[in-house]
Amino acid sequence: RGHRDAPVLVAGACAASMIVFGVPACLAPSAWVALGGYLLNAMFVNWNTSAVYAGLAQITPNAARAQVMAVHTILSGLVALTAGNFMVGALSDYVFAGPTGIAPALGTVFLLCGLGSLVSFMAARSAYREAAKALEASEGEA
């Protein structure tokens, strides 16, 4: 309420949760500690979907919303389900080789993707606010 860029802030919080909860969960000393970290991370990361869809609806003209949502859904699936898995596998095979390499590989992907997302979202805040304001003004005139 009162924040035109709220979807960006929520998505940024999701990215931060990957760093704060996801990375330590990957490197946790016990399964129970890891489970706690993953549960906390999942709670925040699941907010991302609704924040992104609300945000896209807030800055996309009515006539293009369905197409923009479809492209976002396809690209999100391709990146999350393909590139993320590939990165974890490649890191565990070539960088963190060995029987326990999956944990630091997953932690590295959480860290890099979380940092990249957080920086991107925070850098986009002002442009997002302007786009939302411009769309509100143009729809108000119509």
Side-chain angles (χ1 to χ4, degrees):
R1 184 169 157 198
H3 291 276
R4 189 171 266 133
D5 61 350
V8 178
L9 293 173
V10 171
C14 294
S17 80
M18 290 175 66
I19 300 163
V20 174
F21 300 120
V23 174
C26 294
L27 306 174
S30 76
W32 290 108
V33 174
L35 181 62
Y38 285 129
L39 288 173
L40 288 169
N41 184 52
M43 183 180 73
F44 286 98
V45 171
N46 287 331
W47 295 350
N48 188 46
T49 303
S50 56
V52 168
Y53 285 142
L56 287 173
Q58 192 175 6
I59 63 170
T60 305
N62 284 335
R65 282 190 185 141
Q67 290 176 327
V68 169
M69 297 291 190
V71 169
H72 171 268
T73 302
I74 290 168
L75 291 177
S76 176
L78 285 174
V79 170
L81 299 175
T82 305
N85 294 335
F86 175 79
M87 288 170 43
V88 171
L91 285 171
S92 67
D93 283 349
Y94 299 110
V95 178
F96 304 106
T100 60
I102 193 80
L106 186 58
T108 301
V109 171
F110 268 105
L111 179 66
L112 294 177
C113 291
L115 281 173
S117 297
L118 184 59
V119 168
S120 297
F121 284 127
M122 293 307 104
R125 281 183 68 195
S126 61
Y128 182 90
R129 281 191 300 265
E130 292 302 316
K133 185 177 178 180
L135 185 62
E136 278 180 23
S138 70
E139 286 182 348
E141 295 170 5

